[in-house]
Short mmCIF file of all heavy atoms in Angstrom, two decimals:
data_model
loop_
_atom_site.label_atom_id
_atom_site.label_comp_id
_atom_site.label_asym_id
_atom_site.label_seq_id
_atom_site.Cartn_x
_atom_site.Cartn_y
_atom_site.Cartn_z
N ASP A 216 -2.72 -21.29 9.19
CA ASP A 216 -2.76 -21.38 10.65
C ASP A 216 -4.22 -21.26 11.07
O ASP A 216 -4.74 -20.14 11.21
CB ASP A 216 -1.92 -20.27 11.28
CG ASP A 216 -1.89 -20.37 12.80
OD1 ASP A 216 -2.70 -21.12 13.38
OD2 ASP A 216 -1.05 -19.70 13.41
N PRO A 217 -4.89 -22.40 11.25
CA PRO A 217 -6.31 -22.38 11.60
C PRO A 217 -6.61 -21.65 12.91
O PRO A 217 -7.71 -21.14 13.08
CB PRO A 217 -6.68 -23.86 11.71
CG PRO A 217 -5.67 -24.57 10.88
CD PRO A 217 -4.41 -23.77 11.04
N SER A 218 -5.65 -21.57 13.82
CA SER A 218 -5.92 -20.94 15.11
C SER A 218 -6.24 -19.45 14.96
O SER A 218 -6.93 -18.87 15.79
CB SER A 218 -4.75 -21.13 16.07
OG SER A 218 -3.60 -20.43 15.62
N ILE A 219 -5.73 -18.83 13.89
CA ILE A 219 -6.02 -17.40 13.64
C ILE A 219 -6.71 -17.20 12.28
O ILE A 219 -6.79 -16.08 11.79
CB ILE A 219 -4.76 -16.53 13.76
CG1 ILE A 219 -3.67 -17.00 12.79
CG2 ILE A 219 -4.25 -16.50 15.19
CD1 ILE A 219 -2.47 -16.07 12.70
N HIS A 220 -7.16 -18.30 11.70
CA HIS A 220 -7.85 -18.26 10.39
C HIS A 220 -7.00 -17.53 9.35
O HIS A 220 -7.48 -16.65 8.65
CB HIS A 220 -9.24 -17.64 10.52
CG HIS A 220 -10.11 -18.38 11.48
ND1 HIS A 220 -10.90 -17.74 12.38
CD2 HIS A 220 -10.28 -19.70 11.69
CE1 HIS A 220 -11.54 -18.63 13.12
NE2 HIS A 220 -11.18 -19.84 12.72
N ALA A 221 -5.74 -17.94 9.27
CA ALA A 221 -4.79 -17.32 8.35
C ALA A 221 -4.31 -18.33 7.31
O ALA A 221 -4.18 -19.52 7.59
CB ALA A 221 -3.60 -16.77 9.12
N VAL A 222 -4.04 -17.82 6.11
CA VAL A 222 -3.46 -18.62 5.04
C VAL A 222 -2.42 -17.77 4.32
O VAL A 222 -2.47 -16.53 4.36
CB VAL A 222 -4.51 -19.12 4.03
CG1 VAL A 222 -5.39 -20.19 4.64
CG2 VAL A 222 -5.35 -18.00 3.48
N ALA A 223 -1.50 -18.45 3.66
CA ALA A 223 -0.47 -17.76 2.90
C ALA A 223 0.00 -18.67 1.78
O ALA A 223 -0.15 -19.89 1.86
CB ALA A 223 0.71 -17.38 3.79
N GLY A 224 0.57 -18.06 0.77
CA GLY A 224 1.10 -18.88 -0.30
C GLY A 224 1.88 -18.08 -1.31
O GLY A 224 1.82 -16.85 -1.34
N GLU A 225 2.63 -18.82 -2.11
CA GLU A 225 3.38 -18.20 -3.20
C GLU A 225 2.38 -17.56 -4.16
O GLU A 225 1.34 -18.12 -4.47
CB GLU A 225 4.20 -19.27 -3.92
CG GLU A 225 5.02 -18.73 -5.05
CD GLU A 225 5.81 -19.83 -5.76
OE1 GLU A 225 5.75 -21.00 -5.35
OE2 GLU A 225 6.48 -19.49 -6.73
N PHE A 226 2.72 -16.37 -4.64
CA PHE A 226 1.84 -15.63 -5.53
C PHE A 226 2.44 -15.63 -6.92
O PHE A 226 3.61 -15.28 -7.11
CB PHE A 226 1.67 -14.19 -5.03
CG PHE A 226 0.61 -13.43 -5.76
CD1 PHE A 226 -0.73 -13.66 -5.49
CD2 PHE A 226 0.95 -12.48 -6.71
CE1 PHE A 226 -1.72 -12.96 -6.17
CE2 PHE A 226 -0.03 -11.78 -7.39
CZ PHE A 226 -1.36 -12.02 -7.11
N ILE A 227 1.65 -16.05 -7.91
CA ILE A 227 2.10 -16.15 -9.30
C ILE A 227 1.40 -15.06 -10.11
O ILE A 227 0.17 -14.96 -10.11
CB ILE A 227 1.75 -17.53 -9.90
CG1 ILE A 227 2.20 -18.67 -8.99
CG2 ILE A 227 2.29 -17.66 -11.31
CD1 ILE A 227 3.68 -18.76 -8.77
N ASN A 228 2.19 -14.26 -10.81
CA ASN A 228 1.64 -13.20 -11.65
C ASN A 228 2.44 -13.09 -12.94
O ASN A 228 3.58 -13.53 -13.00
CB ASN A 228 1.66 -11.86 -10.92
CG ASN A 228 3.07 -11.41 -10.61
OD1 ASN A 228 3.75 -12.01 -9.79
ND2 ASN A 228 3.53 -10.37 -11.28
N VAL A 229 1.82 -12.50 -13.95
CA VAL A 229 2.51 -12.29 -15.21
C VAL A 229 3.64 -11.27 -14.98
O VAL A 229 3.42 -10.24 -14.38
CB VAL A 229 1.53 -11.76 -16.29
CG1 VAL A 229 2.28 -11.39 -17.55
CG2 VAL A 229 0.46 -12.78 -16.57
N GLY A 230 4.83 -11.61 -15.41
CA GLY A 230 5.95 -10.68 -15.28
C GLY A 230 6.82 -10.95 -14.06
O GLY A 230 7.90 -10.37 -13.94
N GLY A 231 6.37 -11.77 -13.14
CA GLY A 231 7.17 -12.13 -11.99
C GLY A 231 7.22 -11.06 -10.90
O GLY A 231 6.50 -10.06 -10.94
N ALA A 232 8.11 -11.30 -9.95
CA ALA A 232 8.18 -10.46 -8.75
C ALA A 232 8.60 -9.01 -9.05
O ALA A 232 8.11 -8.08 -8.42
CB ALA A 232 9.14 -11.08 -7.74
N LYS A 233 9.48 -8.82 -10.04
CA LYS A 233 9.92 -7.45 -10.35
C LYS A 233 8.76 -6.62 -10.90
O LYS A 233 8.54 -5.48 -10.50
CB LYS A 233 11.08 -7.48 -11.34
CG LYS A 233 12.38 -7.92 -10.71
CD LYS A 233 13.54 -7.85 -11.70
CE LYS A 233 14.85 -8.06 -11.01
NZ LYS A 233 15.29 -9.38 -10.82
N ALA A 234 7.99 -7.20 -11.81
CA ALA A 234 6.83 -6.49 -12.36
C ALA A 234 5.80 -6.21 -11.27
O ALA A 234 5.22 -5.12 -11.20
CB ALA A 234 6.20 -7.29 -13.50
N LEU A 235 5.59 -7.20 -10.40
CA LEU A 235 4.64 -7.04 -9.31
C LEU A 235 5.08 -5.92 -8.37
O LEU A 235 4.26 -5.10 -7.95
CB LEU A 235 4.47 -8.35 -8.54
CG LEU A 235 3.43 -8.34 -7.43
CD1 LEU A 235 2.03 -8.08 -7.97
CD2 LEU A 235 3.47 -9.65 -6.66
N ALA A 236 6.36 -5.87 -8.05
CA ALA A 236 6.88 -4.83 -7.16
C ALA A 236 6.62 -3.44 -7.75
O ALA A 236 6.20 -2.52 -7.04
CB ALA A 236 8.37 -5.03 -6.90
N GLY A 237 6.88 -3.28 -9.05
CA GLY A 237 6.62 -1.99 -9.69
C GLY A 237 5.15 -1.62 -9.63
O GLY A 237 4.80 -0.47 -9.37
N TRP A 238 4.29 -2.60 -9.86
CA TRP A 238 2.85 -2.34 -9.81
C TRP A 238 2.41 -1.97 -8.40
O TRP A 238 1.65 -1.03 -8.20
CB TRP A 238 2.08 -3.56 -10.32
CG TRP A 238 0.61 -3.34 -10.28
CD1 TRP A 238 -0.15 -2.64 -11.19
CD2 TRP A 238 -0.30 -3.78 -9.27
NE1 TRP A 238 -1.47 -2.64 -10.79
CE2 TRP A 238 -1.59 -3.33 -9.62
CE3 TRP A 238 -0.14 -4.52 -8.11
CZ2 TRP A 238 -2.70 -3.59 -8.85
CZ3 TRP A 238 -1.27 -4.79 -7.33
CH2 TRP A 238 -2.53 -4.32 -7.71
N ILE A 239 2.91 -2.72 -7.40
CA ILE A 239 2.55 -2.42 -6.01
C ILE A 239 2.94 -0.98 -5.66
O ILE A 239 2.16 -0.24 -5.05
CB ILE A 239 3.21 -3.43 -5.04
CG1 ILE A 239 2.56 -4.81 -5.20
CG2 ILE A 239 3.11 -2.95 -3.60
CD1 ILE A 239 3.28 -5.92 -4.43
N LYS A 240 4.14 -0.58 -6.05
CA LYS A 240 4.57 0.80 -5.78
C LYS A 240 3.67 1.80 -6.49
O LYS A 240 3.36 2.87 -5.94
CB LYS A 240 6.02 1.00 -6.21
CG LYS A 240 7.02 0.30 -5.31
CD LYS A 240 8.43 0.71 -5.71
CE LYS A 240 9.36 -0.46 -5.72
NZ LYS A 240 10.71 -0.12 -6.16
N SER A 241 3.21 1.46 -7.70
CA SER A 241 2.38 2.39 -8.47
C SER A 241 1.01 2.63 -7.85
O SER A 241 0.37 3.64 -8.13
CB SER A 241 2.22 1.90 -9.92
OG SER A 241 1.24 0.87 -10.00
N ILE A 242 0.56 1.70 -6.99
CA ILE A 242 -0.74 1.89 -6.34
C ILE A 242 -0.59 2.33 -4.88
O ILE A 242 -1.54 2.28 -4.10
CB ILE A 242 -1.63 0.62 -6.42
CG1 ILE A 242 -0.99 -0.56 -5.70
CG2 ILE A 242 -1.96 0.29 -7.88
CD1 ILE A 242 -1.96 -1.69 -5.40
N GLY A 243 0.63 2.74 -4.50
CA GLY A 243 0.83 3.28 -3.17
C GLY A 243 1.45 2.33 -2.17
O GLY A 243 1.49 2.63 -0.97
N GLY A 244 1.94 1.18 -2.64
CA GLY A 244 2.60 0.25 -1.74
C GLY A 244 3.91 0.81 -1.22
O GLY A 244 4.38 1.86 -1.67
N GLN A 245 4.47 0.12 -0.26
CA GLN A 245 5.69 0.58 0.39
C GLN A 245 6.84 -0.38 0.13
O GLN A 245 6.63 -1.54 -0.26
CB GLN A 245 5.46 0.68 1.89
CG GLN A 245 4.33 1.63 2.25
CD GLN A 245 4.08 1.63 3.75
OE1 GLN A 245 4.92 1.24 4.54
NE2 GLN A 245 2.90 2.08 4.14
N GLU A 246 8.06 0.11 0.36
CA GLU A 246 9.24 -0.72 0.22
C GLU A 246 10.06 -0.60 1.49
O GLU A 246 10.25 0.50 2.02
CB GLU A 246 10.07 -0.30 -0.98
CG GLU A 246 11.29 -1.18 -1.19
CD GLU A 246 12.02 -0.90 -2.49
OE1 GLU A 246 11.64 0.01 -3.22
OE2 GLU A 246 12.99 -1.63 -2.76
N ASP A 247 10.53 -1.75 1.99
CA ASP A 247 11.36 -1.76 3.18
C ASP A 247 12.46 -2.79 2.98
O ASP A 247 12.19 -4.00 2.90
CB ASP A 247 10.51 -2.11 4.42
CG ASP A 247 11.31 -2.04 5.71
OD1 ASP A 247 12.39 -1.40 5.73
OD2 ASP A 247 10.87 -2.63 6.71
N ASP A 248 13.68 -2.33 2.85
CA ASP A 248 14.85 -3.20 2.71
C ASP A 248 14.69 -4.21 1.58
O ASP A 248 14.95 -5.40 1.75
CB ASP A 248 15.12 -3.90 4.05
CG ASP A 248 16.56 -4.45 4.14
OD1 ASP A 248 17.45 -3.91 3.45
OD2 ASP A 248 16.76 -5.42 4.89
N GLY A 249 14.23 -3.74 0.43
CA GLY A 249 14.10 -4.60 -0.75
C GLY A 249 12.82 -5.40 -0.83
O GLY A 249 12.59 -6.12 -1.79
N VAL A 250 11.95 -5.30 0.20
CA VAL A 250 10.67 -5.99 0.20
C VAL A 250 9.58 -4.96 -0.10
O VAL A 250 9.48 -3.94 0.57
CB VAL A 250 10.39 -6.66 1.57
CG1 VAL A 250 9.02 -7.31 1.58
CG2 VAL A 250 11.48 -7.69 1.88
#
Side-chain angles (χ1 to χ4, degrees):
D216 183 347
S218 67
I219 57 172
H220 302 137
V222 289
E225 181 181 358
F226 189 76
I227 309 297
N228 64 291
V229 174
K233 286 184 171 85
L235 184 63
W238 179 80
I239 290 172
K240 288 188 222 177
S241 78
I242 62 163
Q245 301 176 20
E246 182 172 4
D247 184 19
D248 199 25
V250 177

